[in-house]
Amino acid sequence: MHAQGRSVGLGLALVSALAFGGSGVAAKPLIEAGLDPLHVVWLRVAGAALVMLPVAWRHRALVRRKPALLAGFGLLAVAGVQAFYFASLSRIPVGVALLVEYLAPALVLGWVRFVQRRPVTRAAALGVVLAVGGLACVVEIWAGLSFDLLGLLLALGAACCQVGYFVMSGQSGEGEDAVAPLGVIAYGLLVGAVVLTVVARPWGMDWALLGGAVDMGGSRIQAWVLLGWIVLIATVLAYVTGVVSVRRLSPQVAGVVACLEAVIATVAAWVLLREHLSLPQIVGGAVVLAGAFIAQSSTPRPAGEEPVASGSGSAGAFEGAGTADGVAGRGAPSEVQDAEGSLSAGRTTP
């Protein structure tokens, strides 16, 4: 039974990675067709929030228990990460944007070391070095950056939003005070939808575009089909399967599978959007993933425990986020767990 449970968990984790990995590929044709990136994010978050309303009602006690956590998840992990990620897609390839977001685990460890002034292990430091070095190859820094600088900064903004949420998530409680991950996701989507409504002002959107077809790598596809994929598959299904899978797998295995999201997104963008990467960029991407995995599996323990980032932490108490949408190898403090498992395999986007 245990082996069967792990097999089911692995299958669900793969489904989650596939679903999250397809968000950027589905969103980019809508953006290139004329929709503002913020409008695409609003459509995604608002649609998913409506689907998750029953879950939010079931966990309504969270509003009283953890208002700061819900607000942080909505503002940073949902609205912030996805807005920056989708904005970056209008300027740089999907795979590059997602790989930049894989700096988040390394940035978390940087916060621990230089802001909190807590020691990190050599394994954690190695993960940071690999992630940064791999990213230098992805952006071909020797050529003076082969991609749009603003696009790269927007993707980095998504990673920083993840870091802000990861830092705050350490206050979410343990044991009897721990939170239900699906409840946090549901309310995070609701908060994100409210915030994005104010920021994106969807009443000015070109709604007629959603009734037509858009170009996707030379093929024409209905815009509503892509939007349906983004909301139902790349958000709702991705989050739910991520939560269920991480309860059946070890954090380390879940983290390895989560790293497939960037691979899936890059391959899908290559096939469907004709966004080709060079050999050095592919090698650099593999190094980024390796560094991100080492960094996230060396997650800090709660303050007061020795030593920080010893490699026994979760492969991501949050992820997402999905995350990019799914935000991608998103390791976070391992203490943020509910009674049954960690929150959504660390997903905050895309």
Side-chain angles (χ1 to χ4, degrees):
M1 290 296 293
H2 180 67
Q4 183 180 4
R6 287 179 59 85
S7 298
V8 172
L10 182 59
L12 291 172
L14 289 171
V15 169
S16 183
L18 283 167
F20 272 117
S23 65
V25 175
K28 187 154 189 174
L30 297 176
I31 295 171
E32 292 181 338
L35 278 181
D36 187 279
L38 277 178
H39 289 160
V40 179
V41 175
W42 179 84
L43 287 167
R44 178 187 189 181
V45 174
L50 287 175
V51 176
M52 296 289 284
L53 272 177
V55 178
W57 176 254
R58 179 182 178 184
H59 296 285
R60 55 191 179 278
L62 280 177
V63 177
R64 176 178 49 83
R65 290 178 53 216
K66 298 291 181 180
L69 177 65
L70 301 183
F73 191 87
L75 290 171
L76 297 175
V78 175
V81 171
Q82 295 190 40
F84 277 115
Y85 174 65
F86 277 23
S88 70
L89 295 185
S90 65
R91 311 184 72 95
I92 60 177
V94 172
V96 173
L98 202 51
L99 287 168
V100 172
E101 289 193 41
Y102 266 89
L103 284 180
L107 294 175
V108 169
L109 292 173
W111 172 275
V112 170
R113 178 65 183 89
F114 298 108
V115 178
Q116 296 183 339
R117 297 187 180 280
R118 295 163 59 195
V120 298
T121 62
R122 292 180 180 177
L126 174 62
V128 172
V129 171
L130 287 175
V132 174
L135 186 62
C137 294
V138 170
V139 302
E140 294 186 337
I141 196 169
W142 56 84
L145 297 180
S146 64
F147 297 109
D148 183 276
L149 179 59
L150 178 57
L152 294 174
L153 291 176
L154 289 169
L156 184 60
C160 289
C161 283
Q162 290 186 67
V163 172
Y165 175 61
F166 292 163
V167 170
M168 188 196 72
S169 67
Q171 307 302 317
S172 67
E174 300 178 78
E176 294 182 357
D177 192 42
V179 297
L182 279 178
V184 175
I185 291 169
Y187 278 101
L189 289 168
L190 287 171
V191 172
V194 172
V195 172
L196 288 169
T197 298
V198 176
V199 175
R201 295 179 291 181
W203 48 87
M205 186 191 315
D206 183 8
W207 291 90
L209 191 149
L210 296 176
V214 298
D215 180 76
M216 188 175 190
S219 301
R220 301 292 291 178
I221 186 168
Q222 292 297 313
W224 65 266
V225 173
L226 294 177
L227 179 60
W229 175 277
I230 292 170
V231 172
L232 298 176
I233 305 301
T235 306
V236 176
L237 178 66
Y239 274 126
V240 172
T241 53
V243 168
V244 176
S245 70
V246 82
R247 292 176 177 178
R248 296 172 176 265
L249 299 172
S250 68
Q252 289 74 18
V253 173
V256 171
V257 178
C259 285
L260 292 177
E261 179 186 336
V263 178
I264 292 166
T266 303
V267 173
W270 193 313
V271 174
L272 299 176
L273 303 180
R274 305 293 188 265
E275 291 183 348
H276 296 176
L277 300 182
S278 66
L279 180 59
Q281 290 167 340
I282 295 173
V283 173
V287 174
V288 169
L289 296 181
F293 175 69
I294 293 173
Q296 73 179 12
S297 59
S298 301
T299 310
R301 299 177 184 178
E305 292 187 18
E306 299 294 330
V308 170
S310 63
S312 61
S314 166
F318 301 90
E319 181 173 20
T323 15
D325 332 354
V327 220
R330 307 177 221 347
S334 60
E335 61 268 28
V336 188
Q337 299 179 343
D338 71 340
E340 297 180 275
S342 53
L343 176 55
S344 172
R347 295 209 188 262
T348 59
T349 110

